[in-house]
Amino acid sequence: MESVLGRTDWPNLELIAVDNGSVDGTPELLEELARAEPRLLVVLNEENRGFAAANNQGLGHASGEYLVLLNNDTAVSRGWLAALVRHLRSDARLGLVGASTNEIGNEGKVEVGYETLAEMPSWARRFVRAQDGRREPIRMLAMFCVAMRREVFDRIGPLDEQFEIGMFEDDDYSRRVQEEGYEIAVARDAFVHHAGRASFQLLGDDRYLEVFGRNRALFERKWGPWQPHLKPGTAATLRGELARRLRASSVPDDRVAVFLPSIGWNIALVQRPHHLAREMARRGWFVVFDVTGSMADQLAGFEEVEPNLLLFCGETEGLTALEDPVVWAFPYNAALASRWSRRRIVYDLIDDLEVFPYSKRLLRRNHERMLAEADLVACVSKPLVESVRQNRPDALYLPNAVEFDRFAAGQSANPLAPEFLQFVASGRPIAGYYGAIASWFDLEMLADAARMRPDWGFVVIGVKLADAPSLAPLERLGNVLVLPPQRYEDLPGYLAAFTVALIPFKVNAITTATSPLKLYEYFAAGKPVISAPMPECEAYPEVRIASGGEQLAAALDEARPDAADPAYVSRLRAIAVEQTWAARVGKVEERLLADRSGRHGGLSR
């Protein structure tokens, strides 16, 4: 407060202080200051209403043409406000502008030459004088200090108060401003000292991570995958390291691929992006698998997990040393492909758009753009292929597949769970399922069948997604075993103990468009399959179709003899051996590498 009142040369400054339920004497201090300072208005909340709500309160009281949000853990330097307003006045396209600072997690941070707050003003004076008139574009402005014109605020509206306490409001507001066509920038000729995380330190680590996770999920529902903010100099360093790694690999220039952020690498449920990336690397591609934002992968920069297969964590600018790579995109991350001026895009339509927990407007916009721009549109199921044929008659049917040798061998890398071995030792035939458990998992069908068939054992090995139903009705049944997710390399051992393998899904728009990855793994293991009526499963006459618990219960007796029939088992494996990830990548290569004339790849120079 002293720095603002003492170092702000503005004739009609209006200072509004909103206190969020402090109990440390701050309200009394503010009221004392207000009695002596007519420019200060104090708003006292009885409880902590959160960052967004308190700022909206302050903005509601403001009457000025220019509006500034300033955190309580800051100290300003002389000329800070005049510089911010000068930038706003000079360019109508500029929606938000923030100050440079000593402490923030993105490009707003600069190296400083002071150690104490007493030394800050004289250093800042020299710094901003050398940067006079300079500003730089930035993707996100942290709201420790941001300024905007009132007309921009009126158009964008208040901060989103759904975000709890104070995280991601600034990411959200920056996106909203840019969505309206405005630019945002950091002013190099305005400096504000920032202590950083002053309020968050009061939360404690566990509470901080809890709030962070909830607010991040809210942000991603609105905007798609969140990317951590780029620290100064990081992109150049990452680009240099990537260039060195690519040169050392000796991979041809036209065989470089980037998988945009989708899922973590070190997770229990190994999925399509993992398999495709691995297979491409094994077939001689240089592959970067972006795990940015994954809580399961603790790395910064690059980590080689297999020959020529790198994990990456950081902003996408760190990968732009790659020139004209194949960028593998999904509906929720496709906008990131624009970071490369030259690239070849594989747009992989892996599910109905309704399955993704992101803004439907965002997904539809990305989808339409990719149908127009992608070099190759790949669809995981025939219903999805048909849905895009009008726009992309060249769409490639690319269903899921299997690592045949792994699942045909039926071996686990580690001992199986003791409770599973005990359950199997009962001698009952086993009907088993492994994979994701979500809203489309038909709990009622499985529970009904288990109640009707006490002579069978039912096993569910699952990763519970956010919308998963409670498995309590299954767990209460004596002939059902529910296990937590098991490691991918151990799944063949569990599958080998199944008599019959299940795909018990509800039939809806989501599952109709699904290609169950486990279908081909079940085939490779030679296991009879009973599935809900989904097109990708119905396409194989070897699959028995069941709707409801009664049909499933009856199908078990029909399928059991097949499990012991060598000819039937051989027929299933013959299907699987043709449905490998190598075959899938081979189809992609045929399309991408067929016409290389005029193309250049490799490194930006």
Side-chain angles (χ1 to χ4, degrees):
M1 299 293 288
E2 290 176 354
S3 73
V4 173
L5 293 169
R7 298 176 189 148
T8 305
D9 301 320
W10 202 263
N12 54 344
L13 177 68
E14 182 179 53
L15 183 58
I16 300 163
V18 182
D19 181 84
N20 252 343
S22 297
V23 294
D24 60 354
T26 300
E28 293 80 8
L29 173 64
L30 290 173
E31 289 179 320
E32 181 182 346
L33 286 172
R35 285 192 290 269
E37 176 53 69
R39 294 177 294 178
L40 174 60
L41 170 68
V42 174
V43 179
L44 301 179
N45 292 328
E46 293 184 359
E47 59 184 7
N48 188 343
R49 296 185 56 189
F51 181 83
N55 275 291
N56 287 340
Q57 278 182 284
L59 291 164
H61 285 282
S63 61
E65 180 184 354
Y66 297 96
L67 305 171
V68 180
L69 301 181
L70 189 67
N71 276 13
N72 61 324
D73 57 351
T74 58
V76 304
S77 65
R78 193 166 295 279
W80 72 286
L81 182 56
L84 295 177
V85 172
R86 187 165 58 244
H87 286 293
L88 292 172
R89 282 178 169 173
S90 67
D91 190 346
R93 296 170 302 173
L94 185 61
L96 284 181
V97 63
S100 298
T101 189
N102 60 301
E103 181 56 48
I104 203 66
N106 64 12
E107 302 95 322
K109 181 177 179 178
V110 296
E111 294 298 322
V112 300
Y114 64 87
E115 295 183 358
T116 67
L117 268 181
E119 298 170 344
M120 185 272 289
S122 60
W123 176 88
R125 184 167 57 252
R126 295 190 299 273
F127 174 78
V128 299
R129 188 177 297 159
Q131 306 290 330
D132 187 43
R134 182 181 165 211
R135 72 171 187 262
E136 296 175 357
I138 192 170
R139 183 169 300 120
M140 173 268 184
L141 276 173
M143 283 186 161
F144 74 93
C145 175
V146 292
M148 67 186 113
R149 294 185 302 279
R150 175 168 290 279
E151 65 184 67
V152 173
F153 176 68
D154 289 343
R155 182 171 176 180
I156 306 302
L159 280 65
D160 188 341
E161 296 183 16
Q162 295 181 81
F163 293 102
E164 184 180 355
I165 302 296
M167 278 175 251
F168 288 91
E169 301 94 333
D170 36 19
D171 296 79
D172 177 70
Y173 209 79
S174 293
R175 289 293 295 267
R176 289 164 61 189
V177 168
Q178 291 170 97
E179 285 290 304
E180 289 294 326
Y182 292 107
E183 298 173 1
I184 64 176
V186 55
R188 293 306 184 198
D189 54 358
F191 183 85
V192 171
H193 174 87
H194 183 214
R197 288 194 63 177
S199 297
F200 295 143
Q201 289 172 358
L202 302 176
L203 292 177
D205 290 343
D206 290 345
R207 174 69 171 145
Y208 176 84
L209 291 174
E210 177 189 345
V211 174
F212 180 92
R214 232 181 351 254
N215 285 2
R216 173 178 167 176
L218 174 60
F219 175 86
E220 291 189 332
R221 283 197 295 272
K222 294 177 70 173
W223 302 110
W226 173 75
Q227 285 202 302
H229 311 304
L230 193 65
K231 295 183 179 179
T234 303
T237 301
L238 291 172
R239 285 194 293 265
E241 181 181 352
L242 184 58
R244 290 191 295 274
R245 287 177 180 266
L246 179 55
R247 283 193 292 268
S249 74
S250 301
V251 169
D253 287 351
D254 59 358
R255 298 178 76 87
V256 176
V258 174
F259 280 75
L260 294 176
S262 56
I263 51 178
W265 187 263
N266 294 300
I267 61 175
L269 193 62
V270 175
Q271 297 182 52
R272 178 182 177 95
H274 303 115
H275 289 296
L276 291 166
R278 276 195 173 115
E279 189 57 42
M280 291 181 79
R282 290 167 185 169
R283 292 171 66 91
W285 288 73
F286 183 87
V287 179
V288 180
F289 191 94
D290 195 334
V291 296
T292 301
S294 165
M295 302 300 287
D297 301 284
Q298 302 300 314
L299 70 143
F302 299 97
E303 177 186 335
E304 188 170 38
V305 290
E306 293 184 12
N308 290 338
L309 174 53
L310 305 181
L311 304 185
F312 170 73
C313 184
E315 280 213 12
T316 313
E317 279 81 356
L319 302 180
T320 53
L322 301 174
E323 182 180 297
D324 198 20
V326 169
V327 176
W328 203 288
F330 302 104
Y332 48 86
N333 62 24
L336 293 175
S338 63
R339 304 285 172 85
W340 286 267
S341 58
R342 300 178 63 245
R343 76 281 190 213
R344 291 166 289 164
I345 301 175
V346 174
Y347 176 51
D348 198 357
L349 191 55
I350 55 174
D351 269 307
D352 185 90
L353 296 183
E354 290 298 319
V355 80
F356 303 112
Y358 303 114
S359 158
K360 296 303 176 275
R361 184 172 66 92
L362 167 80
L363 293 169
R364 178 56 56 184
R365 183 174 61 190
N366 285 350
H367 179 68
E368 292 174 355
R369 178 178 175 183
M370 287 297 101
L371 292 183
E373 296 182 8
D375 297 82
L376 171 61
V377 174
C379 299
V380 77
S381 66
K382 288 183 178 177
L384 288 177
V385 171
E386 292 304 315
S387 73
V388 303
R389 283 292 192 197
Q390 183 174 353
N391 300 93
R392 290 300 297 250
D394 61 338
L396 174 65
Y397 173 50
L398 198 73
N400 282 321
V402 62
E403 285 189 291
F404 178 81
D405 292 340
R406 182 188 296 275
F407 284 88
Q411 300 296 315
S412 292
N414 301 288
L416 302 183
E419 58 267 43
F420 177 78
L421 294 175
Q422 183 179 358
F423 189 80
V424 171
S426 70
R428 290 176 298 198
I430 301 296
Y433 168 86
Y434 64 76
I437 299 174
S439 59
W440 59 81
F441 186 80
D442 198 335
L443 180 71
E444 292 182 4
M445 178 171 76
L446 198 57
D448 287 347
R451 281 189 286 265
M452 294 176 192
R453 300 304 304 265
D455 55 324
W456 277 72
F458 293 79
V459 174
V460 175
I461 303 172
V463 177
K464 294 186 71 173
L465 304 186
D467 60 346
S470 169
L471 297 182
L474 284 176
E475 293 172 321
R476 287 194 288 265
L477 299 175
N479 63 331
V480 175
L481 175 67
V482 176
L483 289 176
Q486 304 297 309
R487 295 171 64 90
Y488 172 71
E489 55 266 32
D490 295 333
L491 288 178
Y494 288 94
L495 179 55
F498 293 177
T499 309
V500 171
L502 306 177
I503 305 179
F505 291 172
K506 297 177 181 178
V507 178
N508 53 33
I510 293 172
T511 55
T512 296
T514 295
S515 169
L517 191 151
K518 62 186 62 60
L519 173 66
Y520 302 107
E521 295 171 350
Y522 291 170
F523 282 170
K527 299 300 175 181
V529 179
I530 303 174
S531 170
M534 299 182 295
E536 292 298 301
C537 297
E538 290 179 307
Y540 295 96
E542 292 79 6
V543 176
R544 286 179 170 82
I545 302 300
S547 296
E550 189 172 338
Q551 289 187 16
L552 174 55
L556 293 173
D557 287 334
E558 298 172 8
R560 187 176 182 182
D562 291 337
D565 181 353
Y568 184 85
V569 170
S570 294
R571 191 157 78 248
L572 294 181
R573 286 181 166 156
I575 296 171
V577 79
E578 299 296 326
Q579 308 297 324
T580 64
W581 291 110
R584 302 293 187 255
V585 173
K587 283 190 173 184
V588 172
E589 288 177 331
E590 288 176 16
R591 290 284 192 96
L592 290 177
L593 304 179
D595 181 14
R596 297 183 239 182
S597 60
R599 283 214 176 267
H600 306 282
L603 303 177
S604 301
R605 294 179 170 79

